[in-house]
Amino acid sequence: MEDKTITTAQLAEHDNLWWDLVEFFASIDPIIAALIATTFTWLVTAAGAGMVFFFKTLNRSVLNMMLGFTGGVMVAASAFGLLGPAIDMSEGENFVKVMPSVIGFMLGALFLFGLDKIMPHLHINFKNPEGPKTTWHRTTLLVMAITLHNIPEGLAVGIVFGAAMEDLTMINSAMIIALGIGIQNFPEGFAVAMPLRREGVSRRKSFWYGQLSAIVEPIAGVLGAWAVTSFEPLLPYGLAFAAGAMIYVVVEEVIPETQRDKHSDVAVLGFMAGFVLMMALDVGLG
């Protein structure tokens, strides 16, 4: 198999902003790198939520396409950026080699399953809240649903940066994941703010709640980076954990939300576009 490890000599051959950033992130603490990257993804969400100031409504088919796009990016990031490296860095052969990824993946899914049961929330397309009964307003429940969605995204970025240490190949992968999640966070921020506006919330509050839903990403990112840098044997488990959490969100939340009306086909096209984009970024920048 071809060795794709990036060496310092190869890095020097590239003279562009991307590789300058790779070198920069290689020179700083992984936890700080995770904080910077997840702050970027949060700010992109805020930019998407800011579109509420320029649009009065959001067409249902456009919303479905945005949600599908988000799901496609998350699945591709899980497959190419998280599970692949998790398996590669595991020791042993055959089933022994894949077991850390299997365990981590299932724990990530169970983690989101648990949060889904203990935190009241309301998905965009659903009529009834999920989780424990509460007197919280629908607006708060909508924001809580997207906040749950953003936890695994922050974990994914943070854990990969934590796993990278000074490995240029892994740092490059971490940056690709952060970029992909940042790209999908723009339509996601818009897709959060507009339903809030439709609920009668003011434009300013819709923006505020929309961007606030992603504030959890820097928190989760820092925690994820700290965990894998403090307990190095957890690296393959941590990568797979983030993948399992993201796939759980896609299957439990994103896909069902896009399949409840006549615009489901548009959502599928959005999903395919998101998956292809993330795959192209992984190969093109890898």
Side-chain angles (χ1 to χ4, degrees), residues 115-137:
L115 288 182
D116 198 53
K117 297 302 180 185
I118 66 175
M119 293 181 66
H121 59 284
L122 175 65
H123 298 302
I124 295 172
N125 235 6
F126 291 23
K127 294 182 179 180
N128 299 317
E130 296 184 1
K133 292 184 179 180
T134 179
T135 58
W136 290 356
H137 192 272

Side-chain angles (χ1 to χ4, degrees), residues 240-269:
F241 182 95
M246 286 213 291
I247 295 297
Y248 183 91
V249 167
V250 173
V251 176
E252 194 274 338
E253 176 186 339
V254 176
I255 292 177
E257 285 187 8
T258 65
Q259 301 299 305
R260 290 176 171 261
D261 53 41
K262 61 182 179 180
H263 302 295
S264 59
D265 289 348
V266 177
V268 175
L269 294 177

Side-chain angles (χ1 to χ4, degrees), residues 54-96:
F54 304 100
F55 295 88
K56 293 183 178 180
T57 60
L58 179 61
N59 185 278
R60 182 66 224 184
S61 63
V62 175
L63 176 60
N64 275 8
M65 181 181 67
M66 289 179 173
L67 292 172
F69 179 85
T70 294
V73 169
M74 293 174 73
V75 169
S78 298
F80 297 109
L82 298 172
L83 287 175
I87 294 171
D88 289 341
M89 68 175 55
S90 299
E91 298 180 354
E93 297 180 357
N94 303 324
F95 286 109
V96 174

Side-chain angles (χ1 to χ4, degrees), residues 154-155 158-159 162 219-229:
L155 280 174
I159 288 173
I219 298 171
V222 167
L223 288 175
W226 171 81
V228 296
T229 53

Side-chain angles (χ1 to χ4, degrees), residues 88-188:
D88 289 341
M89 68 175 55
S90 299
E91 298 180 354
E93 297 180 357
N94 303 324
F95 286 109
V96 174
K97 187 175 182 62
V98 80
M99 281 311 296
S101 297
V102 171
I103 294 170
F105 187 86
M106 293 307 300
L107 287 176
L110 289 172
F111 173 70
L112 260 293
F113 175 81
L115 288 182
D116 198 53
K117 297 302 180 185
I118 66 175
M119 293 181 66
H121 59 284
L122 175 65
H123 298 302
I124 295 172
N125 235 6
F126 291 23
K127 294 182 179 180
N128 299 317
E130 296 184 1
K133 292 184 179 180
T134 179
T135 58
W136 290 356
H137 192 272
R138 281 177 59 87
T139 300
T140 304
L141 293 172
L142 283 168
V143 174
M144 287 301 297
I146 303 301
T147 300
L148 285 173
H149 180 143
N150 285 322
I151 290 174
E153 295 176 7
L155 280 174
V157 175
I159 288 173
V160 181
F161 270 107
M165 303 296 183
E166 295 181 356
D167 184 332
L168 296 177
T169 304
M170 285 296 293
I171 291 171
N172 185 56
S173 295
M175 290 173 55
I176 292 170
I177 291 176
L179 177 62
I181 288 177
I183 290 173
Q184 63 96 22
N185 272 2
F186 185 87
E188 182 180 283

Side-chain angles (χ1 to χ4, degrees), residues 42 45-46 49 143 146 150 188-189 192-193 196 204-215:
W42 168 37
T45 304
V143 174
I146 303 301
N150 285 322
E188 182 180 283
V192 176
L196 293 176
R204 182 174 298 179
K205 285 187 176 181
S206 294
F207 164 74
W208 175 253
Y209 290 134
Q211 63 82 30
L212 193 62
S213 67
I215 190 62

